[in-house]
């Protein structure tokens, strides 16, 4: 295969390096992934498994990993548990899993999924701030909206889920409250002034006074401002729906787009960019990644055969709310460079089988992208914002020096 | 001495808190937020073979007189997140988190503790606390809705619900057999329903049973209701009576309540909080202790403390002068909203009268009075004296062990680990190596069944 990228990849952004993340969920995104050789299905609820997987992602110099989560059992049905016993059921809390892995890694970003719908912004804000402290600046979160009635019944606060628009409004409010709380301590609020006996300068601690339709939060946070100032906020949009576009445009630093092809990506990017502009945020950087499930082998036929074998085990062809790629790392590199011209700055790859496709990403795709000069050869920053080229923001309440 | 076998002592380390016990002005005092401080503290406790590390919690920054209180350490990390991270840098140390049952939901808390227990291979513990105050509630969806008298009924129901969630998996469900394609043995795994006064939920819990079955449960309340709650449901008490007489009375009282619940004395460990100051000699330790007390109670701190009783702004008073001649403002305490500690002064007029008499009799200034009346260090002396005192208290059934609260972060435990622990080990009353894996093993508690 030629080492030069296809024509379409030479768009405006082609000189910028690509960003790559991996979405982690159990043994992988194919429902039969846990039955594959090396899948370690009996270890899915251990720290050992998760630290090995994230360490492998870090060895591949990836920007970050996301950890899937939900406040209900996995199910193929939106109506409740599907009663299946042939697929992975049960999972550990994503924030805790990320924190458990943090001291064992040094560079890779750690982005747990957090469900806004049923959680307290105050708790989430300090949890992610603390993840940022224990990882020394590598925390983010992927904000998720739940519209599952059975999940609502685990909390008992609401008999039924909120309508779409209202649920996303609530998530946007959640993010706003979380972000304000991160800024509620100025960076230099802790003064330890022995002469006056003051540990903090209370003028540098701020009430956030968030008032929303579903909650209000007084503040300040109990946790000092995290190392990144603002940990990275992200959200995903499934293919075939634009309900999450507003949340991505107004509230996040990274959006994951479920798209079927480059044209779909282009349309989604345009719509979100426009919404970002309408919100007056066009000056704030926003990364848009495509979500892509991948089955990778050195031989494309082997990848096809493997996916077919998995489908047979699962008794159904694999379907996804995003595009699915089956082929070689070089072919995937072609596709990424092609799609990037749609205005994407990176990709979040979902390994079909973690045990197989994650090493194929880190040991196959990554070297291929490096050869093409579009992916880092070493970590260039110690924080997730740094890896994503995002500056560390000044706190919104911090007094600005007199002009 | 009787032939009663020697009790084994349990020891734990409380990360220094956001109150005036913690001396931040000491040149040796480090960050209360940097993870390095937590690593140092936890690894010292583990090196000393302690049972567990303990984290307190407060869900709103303290205020006094409507302003954020700035004289003590301010700020702390999220409990679950820092404990999960500590599980990566320790191997056997138990990890105890204080988590509020008012401003959380059972499903979320249960999955966090079950996850922590998995991620630490069986080292999680939960100190269940309650609050009702609208002050803290301003940070949460629920707000301050809970009437004070309902806080224990919510706590009990919260814990009962969490237990039902933990028990909704019995530990045999996950088969994960690739050959047969059976991941779960039972499709009903995790099913629960709880329809109660405070909690009305149903569905499926999504974390398989953790190594300890459930986290170890701590309770901290001292009221009759709190003691009954502990006797019925807790595995351990984070207590406050660390002297011989008070400790024995509390110990006998609480352990005496256990038979009513079909429980034996061994099933509830009583672990009072305790501070300490060590010196090469007892005399030196007492000198250091006095200096530490002066650092803990500055003139400003003394005035702020007095305001808790007087429930008034006393900033115009000289801490080195006499006590105020005006009386406390009786009624609801409005000067220190959300502070549990003000509740200890049930009759402020009487407290003020007693303190004035004491100050006059001993010619004490405000600061000297506060130093004299507020908690002095529990254990003061040489390592040998402190080791003997701790052992005597445990053997006399004043406690099963202690949760030690150093006054310096993060190095305040180092000297204790290096000097007192070896003496207790020599006496054969404290472990030299961890004998088990889980926190239940360390505390001599059995792993619960699901009762199903």
């Amino acid at each position: 295969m030629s080492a030069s990228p296809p024509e379409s990849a030479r768009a405006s952004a082609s000189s910028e390096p690509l960003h790559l993340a991996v979405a982690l969920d159990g043994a992988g995104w194919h429902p039969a992934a846990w039955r594959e050789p090396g899948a370690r299905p009996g270890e899915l609820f251990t720290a050992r498994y998760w630290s090995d997987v994230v360490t492998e992602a870090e060895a591949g110099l990836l920007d970050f990993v996301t950890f899937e989560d939900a406040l209900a059992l996995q199910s193929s049905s939106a109506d409740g548990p599907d009663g299946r016993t042939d697929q992975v059921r049960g999972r550990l809390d994503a924030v805790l899993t990320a924190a458990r892995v943090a001291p064992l890694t040094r560079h890779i970003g750690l982005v747990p999924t957090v469900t806004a719908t049923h959680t307290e912004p105050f708790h989430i804000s300090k949890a992610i701030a603390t993840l940022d402290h224990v990882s020394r600046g590598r925390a983010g979160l992927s904000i998720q909206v739940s519209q599952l009635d059975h999940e609502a019944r685990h909390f008992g606060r609401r008999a039924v889920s909120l309508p779409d628009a209202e649920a996303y409004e609530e998530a946007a409010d959640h993010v706003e409250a979380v972000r304000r709380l991160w800024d509620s301590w100025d960076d230099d609020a802790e003064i330890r002034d022995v002469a006056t006996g003051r540990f903090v300068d209370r003028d540098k601690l701020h009430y956030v006074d968030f008032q929303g339709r579903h909650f209000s939060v007084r503040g300040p946070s109990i946790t000092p401002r995290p190392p990144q100032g603002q940990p990275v906020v992200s959200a995903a949009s499934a293919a075939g729906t634009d309900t999450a576009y507003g949340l991505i445009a107004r509230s996040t630093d990274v959006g994951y787009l479920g798209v079927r092809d480059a044209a779909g990506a282009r349309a989604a990017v345009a719509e979100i960019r426009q919404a970002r502009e309408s919100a007056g945020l066009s000056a704030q950087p926003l990364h848009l990644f495509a979500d892509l499930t991948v089955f990778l082998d050195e031989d494309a036929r082997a990848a096809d055969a493997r996916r077919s074998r998995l489908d047979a085990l699962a008794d159904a062809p694999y379907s996804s709310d995003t595009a699915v790629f089956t082929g070689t790392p070089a072919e995937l590199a072609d596709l990424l460079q092609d799609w990037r011209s749609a205005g994407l700055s990176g990709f979040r790859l979902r390994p079909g089988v973690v045990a197989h496709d994650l090493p194929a990403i880190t040991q196959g795709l990554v070297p291929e992208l490096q050869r093409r000069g579009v992916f880092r050869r070493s970590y260039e920053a110690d924080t997730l914002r740094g890896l994503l080229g995002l500056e560390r923001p000044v706190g919104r309440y911090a007094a600005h020096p007199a002009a | 001495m009787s032939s009663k076998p020697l009790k084994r002592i349990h020891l734990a380390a409380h990360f220094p808190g956001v109150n005036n016990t913690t001396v931040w002005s000491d040149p040796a005092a480090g960050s209360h937020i940097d993870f390095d401080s937590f690593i140092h503290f936890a690894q010292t406790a583990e090196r000393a073979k302690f049972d567990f590390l303990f984290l307190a919690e407060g869900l709103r920054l303290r205020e006094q007189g409507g302003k954020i209180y700035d004289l003590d350490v301010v700020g702390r990390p999220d409990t679950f997140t820092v404990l999960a991270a500590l599980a990566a840098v320790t191997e056997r140390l138990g990890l105890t988190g204080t988590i509020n049952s008012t401003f959380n939901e059972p499903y979320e808390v249960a999955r966090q503790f079950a996850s922590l227990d998995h991620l630490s291979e069986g080292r999680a513990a939960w100190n269940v606390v309650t609050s009702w105050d609208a002050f803290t509630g301003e940070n949460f969806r629920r707000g301050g809705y809970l009437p004070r008298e309902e806080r224990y009924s919510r706590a009990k129901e919260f814990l009962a619900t969490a237990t039902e969630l933990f028990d909704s998996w019995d530990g045999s469900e996950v088969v994960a057999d690739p050959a047969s394609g059976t991941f779960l043995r039972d499709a009903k795994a995790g099913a629960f329903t709880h329809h109660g006064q405070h909690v009305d939920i149903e569905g499926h819990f999504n974390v398989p049973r953790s190594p300890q079955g459930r986290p170890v449960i701590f309770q901290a309340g001292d009221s009759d209701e709190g003691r009954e709650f502990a006797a019925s449901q807790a595995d351990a008490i984070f207590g406050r009576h660390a002297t011989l007489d008070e400790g024995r009375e509390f110990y006998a009282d609480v352990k005496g309540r256990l038979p009513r619940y079909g429980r034996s004395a061994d099933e509830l460990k009583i672990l009072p909080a305790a501070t300490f100051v060590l010196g090469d000699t007892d005399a030196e330790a007492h000198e250091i202790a006095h200096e530490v007390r002066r650092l803990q109670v500055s003139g400003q701190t003394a005035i702020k403390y007095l305001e808790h009783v007087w429930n008034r702004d006393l900033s115009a008073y000289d801490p080195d002068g006499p006590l105020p001649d005006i009386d406390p403002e009786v009624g609801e305490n409005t000067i220190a909203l959300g502070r549990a500690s003000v509740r200890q002064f049930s009759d402020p007029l009487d407290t003020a009268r007693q303190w004035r008499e004491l100050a006059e009799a001993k010619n004490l200034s405000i600061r000297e009075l506060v130093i004299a009346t507020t908690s002095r260090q529990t254990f003061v002396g040489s390592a040998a004296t402190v080791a003997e005192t701790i052992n005597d208290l445990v053997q006399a059934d004043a406690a099963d062990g202690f949760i030690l609260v150093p006054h310096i972060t993060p190095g305040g435990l180092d000297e204790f680990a290096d000097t007192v622990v070896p003496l207790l080990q020599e006496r054969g009353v404290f472990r030299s190596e961890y004998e088990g894996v889980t926190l239940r093993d360390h505390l001599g508690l059995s792993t619960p069944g699901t009762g199903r």
Side-chain angles (χ1 to χ4, degrees):
Chain A
M1 172 147 302
S2 159
S4 63
E7 193 61 33
S8 58
R10 297 200 189 105
S12 55
S14 64
S15 57
E16 296 287 313
L18 270 179
H19 296 283
L20 273 189
V22 160
L24 298 174
D25 188 14
W29 287 76
H30 195 288
W34 69 273
R35 300 179 66 176
E36 284 291 276
R40 302 162 70 184
E43 294 180 53
L44 294 177
F45 311 111
T46 67
R48 191 169 54 248
Y49 173 79
W50 291 97
S51 58
D52 286 352
V53 168
V54 178
T55 301
E56 177 64 33
E58 186 171 63
L61 307 176
L62 305 188
D63 291 73
F64 59 94
V65 290
T66 59
F67 302 83
E68 290 302 304
D69 205 355
L71 296 166
L73 274 180
Q74 300 93 325
S75 178
S76 51
S77 161
D79 299 329
D82 55 11
R84 292 189 75 143
T85 56
D86 63 336
Q87 298 180 3
V88 172
R89 294 291 179 264
R91 52 166 43 116
L92 302 181
D93 181 89
V95 175
L96 270 72
T97 305
R100 177 63 177 79
V101 170
L104 308 175
T105 51
R106 292 194 53 182
H107 295 285
I108 194 162
L110 303 168
V111 181
T113 296
V114 166
T115 300
T117 312
H118 303 297
T119 58
E120 294 281 0
F122 193 85
H123 288 316
I124 299 304
S125 180
K126 67 184 162 63
I128 302 300
T130 302
L131 179 61
D132 209 42
H133 283 289
V134 302
S135 66
R136 299 184 175 87
R138 296 183 284 127
L141 84 169
S142 176
I143 202 86
Q144 178 166 278
V145 171
S146 164
Q147 285 159 295
L148 303 171
D149 289 344
H150 66 279
E151 201 163 76
R153 286 195 291 273
H154 291 162
F155 288 80
R157 193 184 286 125
R158 295 171 185 149
V160 291
S161 298
L162 298 175
D164 259 11
E166 197 179 339
Y168 276 90
E169 280 299 322
E170 186 193 38
D173 282 355
H174 197 292
V175 173
E176 174 65 16
V178 164
R179 285 190 178 280
R180 287 191 196 179
L181 288 163
W182 285 337
D183 281 350
S184 65
W185 288 58
D186 291 357
D187 291 316
D188 55 355
E190 184 179 313
I191 53 173
R192 295 184 180 239
D193 185 31
V194 175
T196 61
R198 294 178 307 148
F199 183 81
V200 289
D201 178 347
R202 64 163 75 103
D203 292 338
K204 295 180 176 183
L205 299 174
H206 308 279
Y207 296 103
V208 305
D209 284 325
F210 180 82
Q211 303 277 344
R213 184 163 169 190
H214 297 285
F215 51 80
S216 57
V217 182
R218 177 84 165 120
S221 179
I222 58 166
T223 306
R225 196 157 190 253
Q228 294 184 101
Q230 291 274 315
V232 173
V233 177
S234 63
S237 168
T241 167
D242 58 3
T243 45
Y245 286 5
L247 178 67
I248 291 171
R250 283 184 293 144
S251 304
T252 73
D253 307 297
V254 183
Y256 317 113
L257 309 181
V259 288
R260 301 289 182 199
D261 50 36
R266 191 170 285 109
V269 168
E271 202 174 324
I272 292 169
R273 291 275 174 216
Q274 183 164 12
R276 183 92 164 170
E277 197 170 326
S278 303
L281 295 169
S282 44
Q284 309 279 334
L286 171 65
H287 283 286
L288 294 174
F289 288 16
D291 264 340
L292 205 59
T293 306
V294 298
F295 298 87
L296 296 171
D297 280 286
E298 280 309 317
D299 175 342
R301 281 168 307 183
D304 270 333
R306 191 162 56 88
R307 185 173 161 190
S308 300
R309 182 160 49 81
L310 284 160
D311 286 352
L313 282 173
D315 245 351
Y318 178 63
S319 70
S320 170
D321 60 354
T322 188
V324 182
F325 174 86
T326 307
T328 70
E331 289 167 351
L332 178 58
D334 290 344
L335 181 139
L336 300 188
Q337 289 190 280
D338 180 27
W339 282 31
R340 156 206 250 185
S341 64
L344 301 168
S345 51
F347 296 87
R348 182 171 70 155
L349 305 179
R350 301 171 169 183
V353 175
V354 169
H356 183 101
D357 296 303
L358 178 62
I361 290 167
T362 56
Q363 298 163 34
L365 175 67
V366 164
E368 179 66 31
L369 292 171
Q370 287 170 332
R371 275 192 290 278
R372 300 182 186 195
V374 292
F375 195 67
R376 68 173 63 86
R377 291 180 177 275
S378 63
Y379 279 113
E380 70 276 13
D382 292 328
T383 69
L384 178 53
R385 291 189 76 91
L387 293 176
L388 293 171
L390 304 172
E391 286 181 5
R392 185 181 189 281
V394 173
R396 72 194 63 193
Y397 305 105
H400 295 284
Chain B
M1 283 296 286
S2 72
S3 60
K4 187 180 155 194
L6 282 179
K7 284 164 73 183
R8 303 293 295 271
I9 296 169
H10 298 284
L11 290 176
H14 184 309
F15 192 84
V18 295
N19 52 53
N20 74 309
T21 300
T22 306
V23 177
W24 57 261
S25 58
D26 191 296
S31 172
H32 291 262
I33 291 298
D34 282 355
F35 190 52
D36 283 341
S37 288
F38 287 88
I39 295 176
H40 178 103
F41 193 78
Q43 291 184 344
T44 304
E46 185 161 83
R47 171 164 65 83
K49 315 298 176 195
F50 273 33
D51 292 66
F52 58 92
L53 172 142
F54 186 99
L55 290 184
E57 186 179 56
L59 295 174
R60 180 150 176 194
L61 295 188
R62 291 159 55 196
E63 292 183 5
Q64 192 154 336
K67 289 180 178 165
I68 289 169
Y69 192 78
D70 59 3
L71 301 179
D72 295 340
V73 168
V74 182
R76 51 173 130 215
D78 176 70
T79 301
F80 284 118
T81 312
V82 82
L83 290 180
L86 284 173
V89 296
T90 54
E91 291 180 354
R92 290 286 179 267
L93 185 68
L95 303 166
T96 305
T98 301
I99 293 293
N100 191 295
S101 60
T102 307
F103 301 114
N104 283 291
E105 296 299 331
Y107 194 94
E108 198 179 5
V109 167
R111 72 189 300 272
Q112 287 168 315
F113 272 114
S115 297
L116 179 63
D117 204 46
H118 278 290
L119 293 168
S120 64
E121 297 178 294
R123 298 188 277 141
W126 173 15
N127 179 34
V128 185
V129 296
T130 70
S131 62
W132 74 92
D133 61 279
F135 176 74
T136 305
E138 286 180 352
N139 283 333
F140 297 98
R141 287 177 187 261
R142 282 186 175 275
Y145 80 104
L146 191 65
R148 177 178 177 166
E149 60 276 14
E150 284 183 24
R151 64 197 183 105
Y152 268 111
S153 69
R154 175 168 168 96
K156 278 184 206 166
E157 191 173 335
F158 192 108
L159 179 56
T161 309
T163 303
E164 288 159 24
L165 296 172
F166 295 132
D167 287 356
S168 68
W169 293 70
D170 69 15
S172 70
E173 295 91 346
V174 179
V175 182
D177 176 30
S180 67
T182 306
F183 189 83
L184 286 188
R185 190 190 305 279
D186 179 2
K188 291 196 285 297
F192 70 90
T193 39
H194 184 101
H195 301 298
Q197 183 197 347
H198 295 281
V199 182
D200 186 2
I201 60 175
E202 62 182 27
H204 288 74
F205 188 53
N206 70 349
V207 186
R209 195 168 185 81
S210 70
Q212 292 190 109
R214 305 168 202 151
V216 173
I217 301 297
F218 279 72
Q219 209 281 327
D222 195 41
S223 64
D224 185 64
E225 217 175 357
R227 293 180 187 199
E228 206 62 27
F229 180 37
S232 66
Q233 301 194 45
D235 300 305
I237 293 184
F238 174 51
R240 62 183 67 170
H241 304 291
T243 59
L244 182 65
D245 292 342
E246 280 186 26
R248 291 185 65 157
E249 191 184 326
F250 180 77
Y251 192 96
D253 176 83
V254 175
K255 298 245 179 180
R257 296 173 190 238
L258 291 168
R260 261 182 269 165
Y261 300 97
R263 306 179 69 198
S264 71
D266 286 347
E267 293 177 61
L268 178 65
K269 305 299 177 193
I270 295 180
L271 306 171
T275 54
F276 61 90
V277 173
L278 297 167
D280 288 343
T281 63
D282 289 353
E284 187 193 65
H286 282 280
E287 265 176 47
I288 299 170
H290 181 69
E291 185 51 33
V292 170
R293 290 296 292 143
R294 288 186 59 79
L295 291 170
Q296 289 171 331
V297 184
S298 69
Q300 295 185 82
T301 299
I303 294 289
K304 293 293 182 190
Y305 187 79
L306 215 59
E307 288 182 350
H308 288 182
V309 177
W310 261 256
N311 194 23
R312 295 171 179 272
D313 180 353
L314 300 177
S315 55
Y317 286 82
D318 176 4
D320 295 320
L323 266 67
D325 41 19
I326 55 168
D327 276 332
E329 179 78 37
V330 293
E332 186 192 354
N333 193 300
T334 54
I335 197 90
L337 292 172
R339 290 292 301 278
S341 56
V342 302
R343 295 201 301 272
Q344 65 186 292
F345 306 115
S346 54
D347 185 349
L349 290 171
D350 189 51
T351 303
R353 185 185 55 74
Q354 288 178 30
W355 284 5
R356 282 202 199 99
E357 285 173 12
L358 180 66
E360 275 170 34
K362 295 195 170 182
N363 193 26
L364 300 176
S365 68
I366 289 175
R367 185 182 181 196
E368 288 163 342
L369 176 106
V370 173
I371 289 175
T373 55
T374 58
S375 54
R376 60 183 287 279
Q377 294 90 350
T378 318
F379 305 126
V380 179
S382 66
T385 299
V386 169
E388 189 178 342
T389 307
I390 287 174
N391 188 39
D392 287 351
L393 286 167
V394 171
Q395 305 308 334
D397 283 345
D400 293 313
F402 294 93
I403 298 177
L404 298 167
V405 191
H407 61 268
I408 300 283
T409 307
L413 197 62
D414 301 7
E415 190 180 1
F416 190 98
D418 292 333
T419 63
V420 180
V421 168
L423 296 176
L424 293 171
Q425 289 167 333
E426 277 172 29
R427 287 168 180 256
V429 291
F430 190 65
R431 69 177 71 81
S432 297
E433 287 300 333
Y434 288 108
E435 288 141 19
V437 176
T438 69
L439 177 55
R440 285 185 184 279
D441 293 339
H442 306 339
L443 290 171
L445 300 167
S446 59
T447 299
T450 62
R452 294 204 300 189

